[in-house]
Amino acid sequence: MSRVQLALRVADLEGSVAFYSKLFGAQPAKRRPGYANFAIAEPPLKLVLIEGAPGEPTRMDHLGVEVETPAEVAAATARLAADGLPTRTEQDTACCYAVQDKVWVTGPGDEPWEVYTVKGDADALDRQAGSPCCAPAHDPAGPAQQAACC
């Protein structure tokens, strides 16, 4: 099963968890410091909440498609490259408290998209060096470069 991912950077993580729990009638599938994600069955959605700076409005952090296997990530990478989209791949990367394989592409409005699979749990929210994954809210690279993952 594939599902679309929406990652939001939120100023009030606890308030956002409470709101989205009510909206979707579901509790978070994973909670860690500064982070929560929901694996919503209907509609199929992976909703990721990443704690941002206090007082800032919620903003879209990145978009994604979660797939079940690394083979599906590889197939997406081949298809996207064949369609002429520049891709950036990461294998066994640790971010957003998960170990993942993924491919990144950028939409025409500079919106970051990832196709990814979760291979296991990790102990860290922060990105690995050089990865667009899990950029901190205060990243000087600016919003276009602050893609998160999950």
Side-chain angles (χ1 to χ4, degrees):
M1 171 194 82
S2 296
R3 60 181 160 201
V4 171
Q5 175 186 293
L6 170 62
L8 299 175
R9 180 95 36 186
V10 299
D12 179 1
L13 183 62
E14 294 307 316
S16 295
V17 166
F19 173 80
Y20 288 109
S21 293
K22 292 173 186 173
L23 179 65
F24 291 110
Q27 293 301 309
K30 184 184 280 190
R31 290 291 312 259
R32 301 290 191 275
Y35 176 86
N37 80 42
F38 292 78
I40 300 163
E42 194 57 44
L45 173 68
K46 179 72 155 277
L47 176 65
V48 174
L49 304 176
I50 303 164
E51 190 170 37
E56 288 188 352
T58 296
R59 67 172 173 81
M60 195 261 316
D61 194 273
H62 76 284
L63 301 161
V65 178
E66 182 181 21
V67 297
E68 292 185 17
T69 68
E72 289 173 281
V73 174
T77 302
R79 179 180 56 79
L80 295 166
D83 285 342
L85 294 176
T87 61
R88 178 174 178 175
T89 59
E90 296 180 39
Q91 294 185 324
D92 296 318
T93 191
C95 66
C96 292
Y97 301 104
V99 176
Q100 305 170 353
D101 283 356
K102 60 180 70 192
V103 59
W104 289 95
V105 294
T106 303
D110 211 22
E111 65 276 14
W113 277 90
E114 66 176 335
V115 177
Y116 71 100
T117 189
V118 174
K119 299 167 81 175
D121 260 353
D123 294 331
L125 172 66
D126 293 336
R127 64 183 169 172
Q128 295 180 342
S131 171
C133 181
C134 302
H138 59 279
D139 192 330
Q145 299 302 315
Q146 291 180 354
C149 65
C150 310

